[in-house]
């Protein structure tokens, strides 16, 4: 059992849906990103997705691409990202952290070294968007053996023939991408998402969390109502990019988490 599993067990017992927030490590700078991260649980965040800055983020839209570039320009690295997690863990031993990014920085560090370091830093799960199921031996299975959840993305183009492969070796939760395309590209619609979530849940006992295209408390509530929870990323990153104070960013996050928890 990981912190992710424990969180979903608790939420089910409370009759609540999960609210997951994404921030980019080191955006706009290390100290600000850490302060936001440390405030997320109090703002109602159940699971933190921590973006790992990378030079070629092919699945990300302009908002998150720019956040990653700001972080890299400020000297953010994989080691500093893990240090953020370590520092966060000094004050919070229960909120799950999912590291989301691309394989290249992990490969460069060495898979075994990375997994040991990530586990020691308090990371609970990984989303690595450029490793398909056919590459499970590369990172997914070693990660699970190290006690980390490996969370897979399913999309509107994941048909019934492909879905079982996507679900194989997935743990923690399934991340359903509500729209075709990059992050921040369009608005998610509950009427479209609901049947897709049901289709996935018919094939797995894992929670299904929906992300992409959720920007308002109303959307957060609507999407969470047809899934086990929702993820908001670009909308939060945009608040950070606008130069708002940490308190104002967290107040915005609280409106989104309240929406999801009303579902």
């Amino acid at each position: 059992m990981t912190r992710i599993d424990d969180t979903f067990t608790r939420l089910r017992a409370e009759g609540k849906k999960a609210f997951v927030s994404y921030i980019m490590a080191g955006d706009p700078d290390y100290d600000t990103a850490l302060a936001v991260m440390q405030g997320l649980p109090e703002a109602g965040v159940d699971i933190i997705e921590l973006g790992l800055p990378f030079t070629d983020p092919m699945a990300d839209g302009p908002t998150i691409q720019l956040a990653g570039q700001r972080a890299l320009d400020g000297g953010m690295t994989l080691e500093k990202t893990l240090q953020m997690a370590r520092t966060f863990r000094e004050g919070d031993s229960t909120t799950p952290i999912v590291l989301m990014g691309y394989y290249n920085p992990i490969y460069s560090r060495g898979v075994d070294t990375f997994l040991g370091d990530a586990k020691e830093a308090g990371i609970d799960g990984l989303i690595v968007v450029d490793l398909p199921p056919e590459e499970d031996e590369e990172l997914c299975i070693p990660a699970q053996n190290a006690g980390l959840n490996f969370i897979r993305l399913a999309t509107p183009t994941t048909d019934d023939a492909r879905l079982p492969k996507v679900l194989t070796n997935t743990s923690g939760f399934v991340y359903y991408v509500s729209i075709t395309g990059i992050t921040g590209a369009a608005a998610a619609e509950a009427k479209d998402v609901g049947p897709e979530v049901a289709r996935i849940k018919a094939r797995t006992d894992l929670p299904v969390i929906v992300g992409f295209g959720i920007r308002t408390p109303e959307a957060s509530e609507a999407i969470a109502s047809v899934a086990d929870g929702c993820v908001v990323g670009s909308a939060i990153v945009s608040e950070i990019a606008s130069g708002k104070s940490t308190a104002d960013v967290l107040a915005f996050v609280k409106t989104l988490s309240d929406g999801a928890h009303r579902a």
Side-chain angles (χ1 to χ4, degrees), residues 13 72 87 114 143 145 151 158 169 197 210 213 227 239-240 248 257:
L72 291 169
T87 304
F114 165 76
N145 290 340
I151 295 145
T158 306
N169 297 325
V197 170
V210 177
E239 294 289 299
I240 294 170
D248 285 345
S257 69

Side-chain angles (χ1 to χ4, degrees), residues 18-118:
F19 181 71
V20 183
S21 71
Y22 172 99
I23 62 168
M24 177 66 72
D27 176 44
D29 56 68
Y30 182 94
D31 291 341
T32 302
L34 177 61
V36 171
M37 185 180 183
Q38 289 171 324
L40 291 174
E42 185 66 26
V45 172
D46 299 300
I47 298 172
I48 296 170
E49 264 186 44
L50 185 62
L52 176 61
F54 181 52
T55 53
D56 186 23
M58 62 185 183
D60 295 315
T63 299
I64 291 178
Q65 283 192 25
L66 288 169
Q69 194 58 55
R70 287 191 297 270
L72 291 169
D73 289 346
M76 202 62 183
T77 62
L78 172 54
E79 177 54 40
K80 289 181 179 179
T81 301
L82 294 176
Q83 185 56 48
M84 268 187 72
R86 292 187 194 100
T87 304
F88 176 84
R89 283 281 171 244
E90 292 172 5
D92 187 311
S93 62
T94 57
T95 304
I97 304 171
V98 175
L99 192 65
M100 183 171 187
Y102 298 82
Y103 185 46
N104 184 274
I106 297 170
Y107 177 80
S108 296
R109 193 179 188 90
V111 167
D112 290 343
T113 299
F114 165 76
L115 291 174
D117 291 345

Side-chain angles (χ1 to χ4, degrees), residues 6-229:
D6 290 343
T7 294
F8 282 110
T9 298
R10 173 182 60 79
L11 290 169
R12 278 193 294 270
E14 295 173 357
K16 292 171 66 176
K17 302 299 181 71
F19 181 71
V20 183
S21 71
Y22 172 99
I23 62 168
M24 177 66 72
D27 176 44
D29 56 68
Y30 182 94
D31 291 341
T32 302
L34 177 61
V36 171
M37 185 180 183
Q38 289 171 324
L40 291 174
E42 185 66 26
V45 172
D46 299 300
I47 298 172
I48 296 170
E49 264 186 44
L50 185 62
L52 176 61
F54 181 52
T55 53
D56 186 23
M58 62 185 183
D60 295 315
T63 299
I64 291 178
Q65 283 192 25
L66 288 169
Q69 194 58 55
R70 287 191 297 270
L72 291 169
D73 289 346
M76 202 62 183
T77 62
L78 172 54
E79 177 54 40
K80 289 181 179 179
T81 301
L82 294 176
Q83 185 56 48
M84 268 187 72
R86 292 187 194 100
T87 304
F88 176 84
R89 283 281 171 244
E90 292 172 5
D92 187 311
S93 62
T94 57
T95 304
I97 304 171
V98 175
L99 192 65
M100 183 171 187
Y102 298 82
Y103 185 46
N104 184 274
I106 297 170
Y107 177 80
S108 296
R109 193 179 188 90
V111 167
D112 290 343
T113 299
F114 165 76
L115 291 174
D117 291 345
K119 184 72 175 174
E120 177 270 331
I123 302 295
D124 302 288
L126 304 175
I127 300 175
V128 182
V129 298
D130 55 348
L131 275 183
E134 288 76 13
E135 305 294 336
D136 274 359
E137 296 289 343
E138 193 79 22
L139 180 63
C140 172
I141 291 172
Q144 309 239 50
N145 290 340
L148 297 170
N149 289 128
F150 199 89
I151 295 145
R152 193 91 66 194
L153 305 184
T155 75
T157 60
T158 306
D159 61 19
D160 288 338
R162 179 65 174 167
L163 185 58
K165 187 70 174 175
V166 169
L167 295 175
T168 299
N169 297 325
T170 299
S171 65
F173 60 90
V174 179
Y175 187 136
Y176 179 68
V177 176
S178 63
I179 55 175
T180 302
I182 54 176
T183 57
E189 296 288 346
K191 63 180 175 56
D192 299 323
V193 169
E196 291 297 300
V197 170
R199 181 170 69 92
I200 297 167
K201 289 180 75 66
R203 300 288 191 100
T204 181
D205 293 330
L206 291 171
V208 179
I209 305 300
V210 177
F212 286 43
I214 303 167
R215 299 188 182 90
T216 66
E218 294 76 18
S220 185
E221 180 177 3
I223 296 298
S225 73
V226 297
D228 295 302

